[in-house]
């Protein structure tokens, strides 16, 4: 047994130092360093430890790249929105981390997924470290899942869990809710500390790799959205999914942050109801649900999340500022991207916003990452500034360059087809994408440079103003 020596571990980033310090040198976090006794190195299975103790390694078989290449077999949950995000089901022998804020619905999602798989005849073991078995059972009853043959345990000790899994028929899917509650007697540190979380995750991942079961680890996230515990767990697993949404609203978005076996830009949309999570197969209708057609400052973006087009409203509010430095507040989009659009509006189109506060929000709480939102953002900003609403039947997309050019974005066809499906009649988009509307009844307004859009919106505002004066 290696000698136990006191080690100091940063609970934010996992960096190890030999002395305590108030600030972590590696990540800059304050008061995050905690003393943990670490027995180095972690044992890796009985035979290999024995071999290593003797100073000898075990010979491993080297393989070529051109071996049998079966497509990774997958476990399809039958919940379409979940399977879409995993890339078509859980891969056998893989480990997956599901992160999310407390109360967002991680346990509910996994309980529903487990029940669906168990009903399909797969052996599923659900290990709850947070709730007692009775609580989980009660929830299952409320969700109408009590008849699903899920094997349930309330346990937090890794050795006990592994012994239970090895006893009885081998499971196809194991759920650990949550990784922060697990502890292994192999390391001497409190549950929830970096050392424990890392060692427990390592043991569960090794179980997945050696038995071919799929292991899902639930991880809590901290206030700033990081999965609590060491980042190394994120590196150790094959896929990291995050479950998001604000608790004030009903719908939840499942997003892949990392996936060794599938795409990372797909999202799954769910709504939390009294009967658990419901899949939302038509998210555009949901995100456009409470639109006010005549309100200035709102533009509909024909966006794309992964392979799926999603229409969502971008809302801007531009008001004269009383502050020395005007406010720039963004919800659901990128601050730096907004600054760029404002700079281009100012420098290339003569729209002065330096004396105005700007608030920008993506309606419904969706978080948008693609630059295709630029044109919709610019339209919403100008519309709010002039006070004239945008045409109610128009969608916008296009990337804005620093020169003011409106550049094409990927997949204009699917974006416009989704718009047509929801009754939109006009597409305001980059000139280069003008022929994408073929086969739909959407008419195209091609915008080569941003000043063209600004001129059109200004003319529209003047016309609206004149008609109000005339009336
Ligand atoms: P839960 O799955 O326990 O969240 P997590 O595991 O991420 O902490 O979800 C808890 C929340 O979901 C709780 O606030 C109540 C709500 N909820 C419903 O609205 N309907 C339901 O059918 C269930 C099971 C939960
Ligand atoms: Mg939970």
């Amino acid at each position: 047994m290696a000698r136990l020596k006191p080690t100091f571990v940063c609970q934010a980033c996992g960096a190890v130092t030999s002395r305590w310090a108030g600030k972590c040198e590696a990540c800059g976090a304050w008061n995050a360093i905690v003393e943990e006794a670490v027995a180095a190195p972690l044992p890796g299975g009985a035979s290999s430890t024995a071999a290593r103790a003797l100073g000898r390694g075990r010979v491993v078989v080297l393989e070529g790249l051109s071996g049998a290449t079966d497509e990774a077999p997958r476990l399809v949950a039958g919940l379409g929105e979940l399977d879409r995000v995993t890339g078509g089901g859980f891969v056998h022998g893989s480990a997956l981390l599901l992160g999310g804020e407390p109360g967002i619905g991680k346990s509910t999602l996994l309980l529903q997924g487990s029940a669906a798989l168990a009903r399909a005849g797969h052996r599923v073991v659900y290990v709850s470290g947070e709730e007692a078995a009775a609580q989980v059972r009660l929830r299952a009853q409320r969700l109408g899942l009590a008849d699903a043959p899920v094997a349930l345990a309330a346990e937090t000790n890794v050795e006990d869990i592994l012994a239970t899994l090895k006893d009885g028929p081998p499971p196809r899917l194991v759920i650990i809710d949550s990784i922060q509650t697990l502890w292994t007697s192999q390391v001497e540190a409190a549950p929830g500390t970096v050392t424990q979380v890392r060692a427990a995750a390592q043991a569960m991942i090794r179980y997945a790799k050696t038995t071919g079961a799929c292991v899902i680890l639930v991880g809590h996230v901290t206030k700033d959205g990081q999965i609590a515990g060491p980042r190394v767990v994120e590196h150790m697993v094959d896929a990291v999914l995050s479950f998001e949404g604000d608790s004030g609203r009903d719908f939840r978005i499942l997003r892949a942050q990392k996936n060794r076996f599938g795409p990372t830009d797909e999202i799954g949309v769910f709504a939390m109801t009294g009967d658990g999570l419901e899949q939302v197969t038509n998210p555009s209708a949901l995100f456009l649900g409470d639109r006010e057609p005549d309100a200035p400052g709102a533009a509909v973006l024909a966006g794309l999340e992964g392979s799926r087009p999603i229409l969502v409203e971008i809302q801007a509010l531009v008001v004269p500022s009383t502050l020395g430095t005007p406010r720039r507040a963004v919800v659901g989009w990128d601050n730096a991207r907004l600054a760029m659009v404002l700079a281009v509006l100012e420098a290339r189109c003569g729209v002065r916003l330096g004396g105005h506060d700007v608030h920008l929000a993506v309606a419904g709480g969706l978080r948008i990452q693609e630059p295709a939102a630029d044109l919709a953002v610019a339209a919403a900003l100008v519309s709010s500034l002039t006070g004239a609403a945008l045409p109610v039947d128009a969608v916008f997309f296009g990337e804005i360059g620093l020169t003011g050019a409106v550049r094409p974005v990927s997949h204009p066809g699917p974006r416009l087809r989704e718009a047509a499906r929801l009754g939109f009649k006009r597409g305001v988009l980059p000139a280069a994408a003008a022929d994408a509307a073929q086969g739909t009844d959407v008419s195209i307004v091609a915008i080569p440079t941003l000043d063209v859009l600004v001129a059109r919106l200004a003319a529209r505002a003047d016309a609206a103003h004149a008609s109000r004066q005339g009336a």
Side-chain angles (χ1 to χ4, degrees):
M1 187 74 187
R3 191 169 53 93
L4 291 184
K5 60 172 186 195
T7 313
F8 298 87
V9 183
C10 171
Q11 302 296 306
C13 71
V16 180
T17 58
S18 57
R19 258 187 298 166
W20 188 86
K23 182 183 176 188
C24 172
E25 290 294 331
C27 70
W30 286 92
N31 284 333
I33 295 184
V34 168
E35 180 177 346
E36 291 181 13
V38 183
L42 288 169
S47 61
S48 57
T49 5
R52 259 177 234 142
L54 293 171
R56 284 188 285 113
R58 182 169 54 88
V59 177
V60 296
V61 183
L62 301 174
E63 294 175 50
L65 287 176
S66 62
T69 46
D70 301 332
E71 169 69 16
R74 289 178 186 265
L75 206 55
V76 180
L79 294 177
E81 296 294 304
L82 176 59
D83 290 329
R84 178 206 305 280
V85 178
T86 53
F90 304 120
V91 173
H92 292 189
S94 71
L96 195 147
L97 180 66
L98 173 68
E101 286 173 20
I104 205 78
K106 301 180 294 296
S107 305
T108 309
L109 176 69
L110 291 178
L111 191 62
Q112 289 181 240
S114 323
L117 277 167
R119 279 182 179 151
H122 301 289
R123 182 168 162 81
V124 180
V125 176
Y126 189 109
V127 183
S128 176
E130 303 199 327
E131 293 165 280
Q135 272 174 297
V136 182
R137 213 178 295 128
L138 210 66
R139 178 192 310 224
Q141 273 161 13
R142 221 158 44 75
L143 298 178
L145 304 173
D147 62 314
V150 176
L152 181 65
E155 183 51 62
T156 55
N157 179 268
V158 173
E159 285 73 35
D160 290 351
I161 292 171
L162 290 176
T164 312
L165 294 177
K166 280 169 191 155
D167 185 55
R172 303 313 296 270
L173 177 67
V174 179
I175 290 169
I176 303 290
D177 187 1
S178 66
I179 185 68
Q180 275 93 3
T181 57
L182 287 200
W183 63 281
T184 159
S185 33
Q186 304 279 357
V187 296
E188 286 183 32
T193 56
V194 171
T195 310
Q196 276 293 1
V197 168
R198 182 163 34 195
Q202 215 159 38
M204 293 314 305
I205 293 166
R206 196 180 314 119
Y207 172 80
K209 302 288 166 201
T210 52
T211 62
C214 172
V215 171
I216 301 182
L217 308 171
V218 174
H220 291 296
V221 298
T222 54
K223 278 192 261 19
D224 49 358
Q226 302 290 344
I227 291 175
R231 294 305 300 251
V232 284
V233 176
E234 290 180 41
H235 302 311
M236 283 152 65
V237 293
D238 298 301
V240 180
L241 306 186
S242 67
F243 206 33
E244 310 166 356
D246 60 86
S247 31
R249 289 175 189 273
D250 291 341
F251 65 86
R252 306 279 184 263
I253 292 164
L254 184 67
R255 201 183 277 278
Q257 291 181 342
K258 156 182 171 176
N259 194 349
R260 285 185 186 146
F261 305 109
T264 53
D265 49 5
E266 294 287 356
I267 64 168
V269 185
F270 296 87
M272 182 61 95
T273 69
D275 303 320
L277 289 160
E278 240 165 52
Q279 305 187 67
V280 177
T281 44
N282 187 1
S284 300
L286 181 83
F287 293 125
L288 294 178
D290 38 8
R291 270 183 88 203
E292 287 174 60
D294 300 324
V300 176
L301 162 70
L304 196 75
E305 291 285 344
S307 60
R308 181 159 56 169
I310 290 185
L311 267 52
V312 56
E313 191 179 67
I314 308 277
Q315 299 173 343
L317 183 61
V318 177
V319 284
S321 181
T322 54
L323 305 167
T325 313
R327 274 183 73 92
R328 303 283 180 254
V330 187
V331 178
W333 206 47
D334 185 19
N335 244 314
R337 202 83 207 163
L338 172 65
M340 196 273 295
V341 171
L342 290 174
V344 174
L345 278 172
E346 176 122 18
R348 310 284 175 205
C349 315
V351 179
R352 306 250 171 267
L353 291 163
H356 289 76
D357 287 342
V358 174
H359 300 263
L360 189 82
V362 177
L366 192 68
R367 191 159 48 81
I368 292 181
Q369 280 150 345
E370 55 166 357
D374 292 355
L375 199 62
V377 169
L381 289 169
V382 175
S383 161
S384 176
L385 185 68
T386 60
L390 296 166
V392 66
D393 59 355
V395 295
F396 297 78
F397 64 85
E399 178 178 350
I400 296 172
L402 290 179
T403 58
V406 179
R407 294 203 293 238
V409 296
S410 66
H411 301 93
R415 295 176 197 264
L416 285 175
R417 281 197 290 280
E418 175 78 353
R421 195 174 69 76
L422 286 149
F424 287 84
K425 297 277 182 280
R426 274 183 267 191
V428 183
L429 42 81
D435 51 359
Q438 280 165 5
T440 67
D441 56 357
V442 176
S443 65
I444 297 299
V445 182
I447 305 290
T449 53
L450 189 57
D451 51 350
V452 174
L453 178 72
V454 172
R456 287 184 76 111
L457 295 181
R460 194 181 156 79
D462 287 344
H465 191 66
S467 78
R468 246 178 286 141
Q469 299 265 300

